[in-house]
Amino acid sequence: DGGITQSPKYLFRKEGQNVTLSCEQNLNHDAMYWYRQDPGQGLRLIYYSQIVNDFQKGDIAEGYSVSREKKESFPLTVTSAQKNPTAFYLCASSGTSGDFPTDTQYFGPGTRLTVL
Amino acid sequence: AQSVSQHNHHVILSEAASLELGCNYSYGGTVNLFWYVQYPGQHLQLLLKYFSGDPLVKGIKGFEAEFIKSKFSFNLRKPSVQWSDTAEYFCAVNFMEYGNKLVFGAGTILRVKS
Protein backbone atom coordinates (compact mmCIF):
# COMPACT_ATOMS: atom_id res chain seq x y z
CA ASP A 1 0.00 0.00 0.00
CA GLY A 2 1.92 3.05 -1.27
CA GLY A 3 1.80 6.45 0.32
CA ILE A 4 3.15 8.89 2.84
CA THR A 5 2.97 8.27 6.55
CA GLN A 6 3.42 10.82 9.29
CA SER A 7 3.64 10.03 12.94
CA PRO A 8 2.34 10.72 15.42
CA LYS A 9 -1.03 12.20 14.47
CA TYR A 10 -1.12 14.37 17.60
CA LEU A 11 1.89 15.54 19.55
CA PHE A 12 2.12 17.56 22.73
CA ARG A 13 5.31 19.13 24.01
CA LYS A 14 6.31 21.55 26.68
CA GLU A 15 7.69 24.92 25.70
CA GLY A 16 11.46 24.86 25.29
CA GLN A 17 11.68 21.25 24.15
CA ASN A 18 12.79 20.17 20.71
CA VAL A 19 10.49 17.71 18.96
CA THR A 20 10.96 15.62 15.82
CA LEU A 21 8.13 14.82 13.42
CA SER A 22 8.42 11.74 11.26
CA CYS A 23 7.68 11.50 7.53
CA GLU A 24 8.15 8.33 5.49
CA GLN A 25 7.21 7.63 1.87
CA ASN A 26 7.29 4.44 -0.18
CA LEU A 27 6.44 6.09 -3.50
CA ASN A 28 10.09 6.13 -4.60
CA HIS A 29 9.85 9.91 -4.95
CA ASP A 30 13.06 11.92 -5.02
CA ALA A 31 11.65 15.14 -3.60
CA MET A 32 10.12 15.69 -0.18
CA TYR A 33 8.66 18.76 1.49
CA TRP A 34 7.52 20.06 4.84
CA TYR A 35 4.69 22.58 5.16
CA ARG A 36 3.03 24.29 8.04
CA GLN A 37 -0.73 24.87 7.87
CA ASP A 38 -2.34 27.59 9.99
CA PRO A 39 -6.01 28.62 9.77
CA GLY A 40 -6.56 31.28 7.12
CA GLN A 41 -2.95 31.15 5.88
CA GLY A 42 -2.87 28.13 3.63
CA LEU A 43 0.28 26.02 3.55
CA ARG A 44 3.71 27.59 3.95
CA LEU A 45 6.89 25.81 2.91
CA ILE A 46 9.38 25.12 5.69
CA TYR A 47 12.05 22.97 4.01
CA TYR A 48 12.35 20.85 0.91
CA SER A 49 14.73 18.24 -0.39
CA GLN A 50 15.28 17.27 -4.01
CA ILE A 51 17.66 14.37 -3.39
CA VAL A 52 19.21 12.45 -0.53
CA ASN A 53 21.70 14.41 1.60
CA ASP A 54 20.52 17.73 0.19
CA PHE A 55 17.84 20.16 1.37
CA GLN A 56 16.93 23.83 1.06
CA LYS A 57 15.15 26.34 3.24
CA GLY A 58 11.64 27.30 2.34
CA ASP A 59 9.84 30.50 3.24
CA ILE A 60 9.63 29.94 7.00
CA ALA A 61 12.66 27.81 7.94
CA GLU A 62 13.64 29.71 11.09
CA GLY A 63 13.38 27.50 14.16
CA TYR A 64 13.22 24.27 12.18
CA SER A 65 15.78 21.74 10.99
CA VAL A 66 15.65 18.68 8.73
CA SER A 67 17.77 15.80 7.54
CA ARG A 68 17.57 13.58 4.45
CA GLU A 69 19.78 10.58 5.05
CA LYS A 70 17.48 8.16 3.22
CA LYS A 71 15.33 8.63 0.15
CA GLU A 72 12.18 7.51 1.95
CA SER A 73 12.58 9.58 5.11
CA PHE A 74 12.55 13.33 5.79
CA PRO A 75 12.19 14.09 9.53
CA LEU A 76 11.48 17.62 10.73
CA THR A 77 12.74 18.93 14.07
CA VAL A 78 10.88 21.82 15.64
CA THR A 79 13.41 23.49 17.87
CA SER A 80 12.92 25.65 20.93
CA ALA A 81 13.91 28.62 18.74
CA GLN A 82 10.61 28.41 16.83
CA LYS A 83 8.52 31.16 18.39
CA ASN A 84 5.08 29.85 17.53
CA PRO A 85 5.36 26.09 16.96
CA THR A 86 1.76 25.07 17.60
CA ALA A 87 0.41 24.18 14.14
CA PHE A 88 -0.56 21.41 11.75
CA TYR A 89 2.47 20.05 9.89
CA LEU A 90 2.16 18.39 6.49
CA CYS A 91 4.76 16.36 4.66
CA ALA A 92 4.64 15.85 0.89
CA SER A 93 6.62 14.14 -1.81
CA SER A 94 6.84 14.30 -5.58
CA GLY A 95 8.56 12.63 -8.51
CA THR A 96 11.23 14.51 -10.44
CA SER A 97 11.15 15.84 -13.96
CA GLY A 98 14.32 17.40 -15.27
CA ASP A 99 16.35 19.44 -12.85
CA PHE A 100 13.70 20.06 -10.28
CA PRO A 101 10.53 18.35 -9.21
CA THR A 102 7.63 19.71 -11.16
CA ASP A 103 5.27 16.82 -10.79
CA THR A 104 2.33 16.64 -8.47
CA GLN A 105 2.95 16.71 -4.75
CA TYR A 106 1.27 14.02 -2.65
CA PHE A 107 0.56 14.74 0.97
CA GLY A 108 0.63 12.77 4.19
CA PRO A 109 -2.11 12.90 6.85
CA GLY A 110 -0.31 15.51 8.93
CA THR A 111 0.82 15.89 12.54
CA ARG A 112 -0.90 18.35 14.83
CA LEU A 113 1.68 19.73 17.24
CA THR A 114 0.61 21.54 20.36
CA VAL A 115 3.19 23.24 22.55
CA LEU A 116 1.98 23.81 26.09
CA ALA B 1 7.48 37.84 -3.72
CA GLN B 2 5.28 35.41 -5.54
CA SER B 3 1.82 35.10 -4.07
CA VAL B 4 -1.48 33.35 -4.63
CA SER B 5 -4.81 34.92 -3.74
CA GLN B 6 -8.05 33.13 -3.11
CA HIS B 7 -10.85 35.64 -3.02
CA ASN B 8 -13.28 34.04 -0.62
CA HIS B 9 -12.32 32.43 2.66
CA HIS B 10 -15.77 31.04 3.40
CA VAL B 11 -18.46 30.06 0.90
CA ILE B 12 -21.85 28.61 1.81
CA LEU B 13 -24.02 27.09 -0.92
CA SER B 14 -27.14 24.98 -1.12
CA GLU B 15 -27.00 21.61 -2.88
CA ALA B 16 -27.30 21.86 -6.68
CA ALA B 17 -25.98 25.44 -6.71
CA SER B 18 -23.11 26.26 -9.04
CA LEU B 19 -19.67 26.90 -7.62
CA GLU B 20 -16.85 29.15 -8.71
CA LEU B 21 -13.82 29.72 -6.50
CA GLY B 22 -11.39 32.39 -7.56
CA CYS B 23 -7.62 32.05 -7.68
CA ASN B 24 -5.15 34.65 -8.91
CA TYR B 25 -1.39 34.68 -8.80
CA SER B 26 1.08 37.54 -8.85
CA TYR B 27 3.51 36.57 -11.60
CA GLY B 28 3.56 36.47 -15.38
CA GLY B 29 6.07 33.77 -16.21
CA THR B 30 5.73 30.03 -16.64
CA VAL B 31 3.57 28.38 -14.02
CA ASN B 32 2.08 25.02 -13.17
CA LEU B 33 -1.29 25.30 -11.45
CA PHE B 34 -3.07 23.04 -8.99
CA TRP B 35 -6.23 22.79 -6.96
CA TYR B 36 -6.10 20.63 -3.86
CA VAL B 37 -9.00 19.67 -1.60
CA GLN B 38 -9.00 18.74 2.08
CA TYR B 39 -12.15 16.95 3.20
CA PRO B 40 -12.83 16.96 6.93
CA GLY B 41 -10.42 14.59 8.65
CA GLN B 42 -8.76 13.51 5.42
CA HIS B 43 -5.46 14.03 3.58
CA LEU B 44 -4.92 16.95 1.28
CA GLN B 45 -5.53 15.50 -2.18
CA LEU B 46 -5.19 16.67 -5.74
CA LEU B 47 -8.36 17.81 -7.47
CA LEU B 48 -6.85 18.85 -10.80
CA LYS B 49 -3.74 20.37 -12.34
CA TYR B 50 -2.64 22.36 -15.35
CA PHE B 51 0.83 22.11 -16.86
CA SER B 52 0.23 22.99 -20.53
CA GLY B 53 -2.22 22.53 -23.41
CA ASP B 54 -5.97 23.03 -23.17
CA PRO B 55 -6.54 25.76 -20.57
CA LEU B 56 -9.80 24.14 -19.49
CA VAL B 57 -8.85 21.30 -17.18
CA LYS B 58 -11.20 18.64 -15.90
CA GLY B 59 -10.56 16.98 -12.56
CA ILE B 60 -12.15 14.46 -10.27
CA LYS B 61 -15.71 14.59 -8.93
CA GLY B 62 -17.00 16.88 -11.69
CA PHE B 63 -14.67 19.80 -10.96
CA GLU B 64 -13.01 21.83 -13.67
CA ALA B 65 -10.75 24.88 -13.79
CA GLU B 66 -9.86 27.38 -16.47
CA PHE B 67 -6.43 28.92 -16.84
CA ILE B 68 -6.65 32.48 -18.16
CA LYS B 69 -3.06 33.58 -18.68
CA SER B 70 -3.90 37.22 -19.36
CA LYS B 71 -5.71 37.46 -16.03
CA PHE B 72 -3.23 35.32 -14.06
CA SER B 73 -6.21 33.30 -12.92
CA PHE B 74 -7.11 29.66 -12.41
CA ASN B 75 -10.69 29.58 -11.14
CA LEU B 76 -12.29 26.36 -9.98
CA ARG B 77 -15.85 25.52 -11.05
CA LYS B 78 -18.50 22.90 -10.53
CA PRO B 79 -21.96 23.18 -12.12
CA SER B 80 -23.87 21.55 -9.27
CA VAL B 81 -22.40 20.99 -5.81
CA GLN B 82 -23.27 18.18 -3.44
CA TRP B 83 -23.21 18.02 0.34
CA SER B 84 -20.13 15.79 0.04
CA ASP B 85 -18.21 18.68 -1.55
CA THR B 86 -17.99 20.34 1.86
CA ALA B 87 -14.25 20.80 2.31
CA GLU B 88 -11.41 23.30 2.21
CA TYR B 89 -10.04 24.07 -1.25
CA PHE B 90 -6.52 25.30 -1.91
CA CYS B 91 -5.13 26.81 -5.07
CA ALA B 92 -1.39 26.28 -5.52
CA VAL B 93 1.06 27.63 -8.07
CA ASN B 94 4.49 26.33 -9.04
CA PHE B 95 6.46 29.40 -10.19
CA MET B 96 8.88 27.70 -12.54
CA GLU B 97 11.49 30.45 -12.85
CA TYR B 98 11.74 31.22 -9.14
CA GLY B 99 13.02 27.93 -7.79
CA ASN B 100 9.94 25.90 -8.69
CA LYS B 101 8.44 26.34 -5.27
CA LEU B 102 4.78 25.53 -4.74
CA VAL B 103 2.98 28.54 -3.27
CA PHE B 104 -0.45 28.00 -1.76
CA GLY B 105 -3.38 30.33 -1.41
CA ALA B 106 -4.99 30.80 2.00
CA GLY B 107 -7.76 28.34 1.20
CA THR B 108 -11.52 28.57 0.79
CA ILE B 109 -13.79 26.70 3.16
CA LEU B 110 -16.87 25.51 1.30
CA ARG B 111 -19.94 24.42 3.19
CA VAL B 112 -22.76 22.86 1.22
CA LYS B 113 -26.14 22.82 2.92
CA SER B 114 -28.31 19.78 2.27
Side-chain angles (χ1 to χ4, degrees), chain A residues 38-81:
Chain A
D38 295 284
Q41 296 193 54
L43 279 70
R44 292 179 291 167
L45 183 64
I46 303 173
Y47 268 98
Y48 61 101
S49 168
Q50 297 171 251
I51 57 172
V52 175
N53 293 322
D54 185 58
F55 49 83
Q56 287 81 40
K57 292 181 179 180
D59 299 318
I60 55 165
E62 186 176 350
Y64 300 97
S65 66
V66 294
S67 62
R68 186 87 188 276
E69 297 176 2
K70 298 186 295 182
K71 185 175 184 177
E72 57 271 21
S73 178
F74 190 41
L76 173 75
T77 296
V78 184
T79 74
S80 57

Side-chain angles (χ1 to χ4, degrees), chain A residues 2-116:
Chain A
I4 303 172
T5 56
Q6 292 184 243
S7 61
K9 188 173 181 179
Y10 298 96
L11 190 55
F12 297 88
R13 279 296 181 268
K14 291 183 179 178
E15 195 172 337
Q17 290 181 333
N18 291 355
V19 59
T20 297
L21 281 58
S22 166
C23 177
E24 304 278 330
Q25 55 99 359
N26 61 6
L27 301 168
N28 199 33
H29 284 166
D30 287 313
M32 296 186 74
Y33 312 80
W34 273 105
Y35 293 90
R36 172 182 170 136
Q37 184 179 7
D38 295 284
Q41 296 193 54
L43 279 70
R44 292 179 291 167
L45 183 64
I46 303 173
Y47 268 98
Y48 61 101
S49 168
Q50 297 171 251
I51 57 172
V52 175
N53 293 322
D54 185 58
F55 49 83
Q56 287 81 40
K57 292 181 179 180
D59 299 318
I60 55 165
E62 186 176 350
Y64 300 97
S65 66
V66 294
S67 62
R68 186 87 188 276
E69 297 176 2
K70 298 186 295 182
K71 185 175 184 177
E72 57 271 21
S73 178
F74 190 41
L76 173 75
T77 296
V78 184
T79 74
S80 57
Q82 167 50 231
K83 295 178 182 176
N84 186 20
T86 294
F88 189 53
Y89 291 89
L90 285 166
C91 178
S93 71
S94 69
T96 55
S97 174
D99 295 330
F100 195 92
T102 59
D103 206 349
T104 306
Q105 291 185 23
Y106 296 90
F107 286 82
T111 292
R112 187 166 299 280
L113 172 65
T114 302
V115 176
L116 306 170

